[in-house]
């Protein structure tokens, strides 16, 4: 093969390796549970590779010997049969030992993956078509609040998520932090994980749940403990009323055009329960469950025609004048 052609093929050969790292990769563990899952995976892969290689080598040796003595009839002798029986017995015992060993490794790994800590931070996550409702609940009702599509947690502290579904089966998966767990209607499942390092990790619904399944993502932001406490204190507050004329106009239009029938903004008359809570939407990094990055342009495009961006979602297209759209965008961006 010419040198130029080999050089051109190198980037294409390296493409599969692009999935081995990043904020949504099971091969780049950033949590205690994901690290244990990866170690268990490597043990299984190594054992399976050794067994497969041994079988292929022995098969190759047998084929070569058979070819070398192809002109001789197959003769069975008592000594050969005895030796063959011992080999089969030894291999059977080796298979049993390997299976038992892998079972023990798997069991030991599950003790870490499914461990429960009484002092874990507890969140309730509800899957909807196609977004995530995140409830930070506390014994004191005044310290409980609801957000959507972004989960902020402290590093080094176990986090327990209680998973429920509002409609069909979904699956909660943050590859860099933990394994998968389904959300099933009428059933409560639990999953616990601990983020070792601060950062932003992408999660995804891993169970086909309808038309926009691929656009049902979320972000997990692992923060240092002090930064997380400041964020939680701020998130627990109600929305501040706008002081400028355009913001006040946007708040009025938000209610008048029907947005408040589906969305809640704490501290205002908007109390809808069908869509995501928008109390602090201005501080989120994405909109539409990870479909678009947060910005004035993407927020405007989403409000103007959500069905064009995410066909089949439950948010209707609202007939808005450009001046009304600008006012609503301005109002929502102030909700931080």
């Amino acid at each position: 093969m010419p040198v130029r052609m080999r050089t051109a093929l190198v980037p294409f050969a390296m493409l599969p390796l692009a999935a081995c790292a990043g904020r949504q990769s099971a091969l780049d563990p950033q949590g205690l549970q994901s690290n244990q899952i990866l170690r268990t995976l490597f043990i299984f892969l190594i054992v399976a590779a050794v067994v497969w290689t041994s079988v292929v080598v022995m098969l190759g040796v047998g084929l070569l010997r058979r070819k070398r003595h192809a002109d001789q009839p197959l003769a069975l002798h008592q000594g050969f049969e005895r030796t063959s029986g011992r080999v089969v017995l030894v291999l059977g015992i080796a298979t049993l030992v390997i299976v038992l060993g892998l079972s023990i490794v798997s069991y030991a790994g599950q003790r870490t993956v499914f461990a429960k800590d009484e002092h874990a931070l507890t969140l309730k996550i509800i899957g909807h078509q196609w977004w995530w409702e995140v409830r930070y609940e506390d014994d004191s009702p005044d310290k409980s609040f609801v957000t959507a599509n972004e989960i902020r947690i402290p590093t080094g502290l176990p986090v327990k998520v209680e998973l429920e579904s509002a409609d069909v089966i979904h699956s909660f998966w943050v590859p860099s932090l933990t394994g998968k767990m389904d959300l099933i209607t009428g059933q409560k499942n639990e999953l616990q994980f601990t983020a070792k390092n601060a950062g932003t990790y992408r999660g995804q619904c891993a169970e086909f749940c309808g038309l926009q399944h691929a656009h049902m993502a979320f972000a997990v932001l692992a923060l240092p403990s002090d930064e997380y406490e400041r964020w939680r204190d701020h998130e627990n507050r109600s929305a501040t009323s706008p002081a400028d004329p355009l913001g006040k106009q946007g708040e009025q239009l938000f209610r008048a055009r029907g947005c408040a029938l589906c969305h809640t903004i704490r501290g205002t008359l908007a109390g809808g329960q069908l869509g995501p809570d928008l109390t602090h939407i201005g501080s989120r990094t994405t909109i539409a469950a990870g479909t678009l990055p947060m910005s004035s342009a993407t927020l405007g495009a989403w409000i103007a025609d959500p069905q064009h961006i995410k066909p089949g979602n439950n948010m209707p297209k609202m007939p808005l004048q450009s001046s009304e759209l600008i006012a609503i965008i301005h109002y929502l961006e102030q909700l931080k």
Side-chain angles (χ1 to χ4, degrees), residues 92-257:
I93 294 173
T95 300
L96 179 62
V97 171
I98 291 173
V99 171
L100 287 176
L102 292 178
S103 298
I104 293 172
V105 170
S106 177
Y107 175 74
Q110 288 181 22
R111 293 186 64 184
T112 299
V113 174
F114 296 109
K116 295 184 178 180
D117 193 316
E118 296 180 356
H119 305 289
L121 169 67
T122 301
L123 308 178
K124 180 181 287 186
I125 297 179
I126 303 172
H128 299 262
Q129 288 180 311
W130 291 271
W131 60 281
W132 304 88
E133 180 180 351
V134 185
R135 295 181 172 270
Y136 288 77
E137 298 183 339
D138 193 273
D139 295 335
S140 301
D142 61 319
K143 295 183 180 179
S144 300
F145 61 90
V146 181
T147 182
N149 299 322
E150 286 191 3
I151 304 169
R152 304 203 185 201
I153 59 173
T155 56
L157 180 69
V159 177
K160 181 178 74 173
V161 291
E162 299 175 347
L163 302 169
E164 300 179 19
S165 173
D167 34 56
V168 300
I169 297 177
H170 302 282
S171 187
F172 179 89
W173 188 30
V174 192
S176 295
L177 297 178
T178 188
K180 303 175 185 176
M181 181 64 72
D182 284 349
L183 295 78
I184 302 174
T185 307
Q187 177 177 319
K188 293 183 179 180
N189 290 337
E190 292 184 1
L191 187 67
Q192 184 169 300
F193 59 91
T194 304
K196 297 187 298 182
N197 303 312
T200 300
Y201 308 105
R202 189 177 189 272
Q204 176 69 41
C205 178
E207 182 77 26
F208 181 73
C209 55
L211 181 62
Q212 289 299 328
H213 160 68
H215 288 152
M216 188 174 170
F218 59 96
V220 178
L221 285 75
L223 309 173
S225 297
D226 55 344
E227 186 176 344
Y228 168 78
E229 290 298 333
R230 289 195 299 270
W231 171 82
R232 181 159 186 165
D233 289 342
H234 179 270
E235 194 75 12
N236 194 46
R237 301 171 190 166
S238 298
T240 56
S241 299
D244 61 301
L246 186 60
K248 291 180 179 179
Q249 181 188 2
E251 182 180 17
Q252 293 172 356
L253 288 169
F254 186 86
R255 296 197 303 269
R257 293 295 181 266

Side-chain angles (χ1 to χ4, degrees), residues 145-148 234-240 254 263-268 270 276-284 331-336:
F145 61 90
V146 181
T147 182
H234 179 270
E235 194 75 12
N236 194 46
R237 301 171 190 166
S238 298
T240 56
F254 186 86
H263 297 282
T264 291
I265 298 179
R266 283 178 277 121
T268 73
D277 187 297
L278 304 181
T279 304
H280 297 290
I281 185 175
S283 62
R284 295 175 192 167
Y331 167 59
L332 293 177
E333 285 186 315
Q334 293 184 33
L335 299 177
K336 295 184 178 180

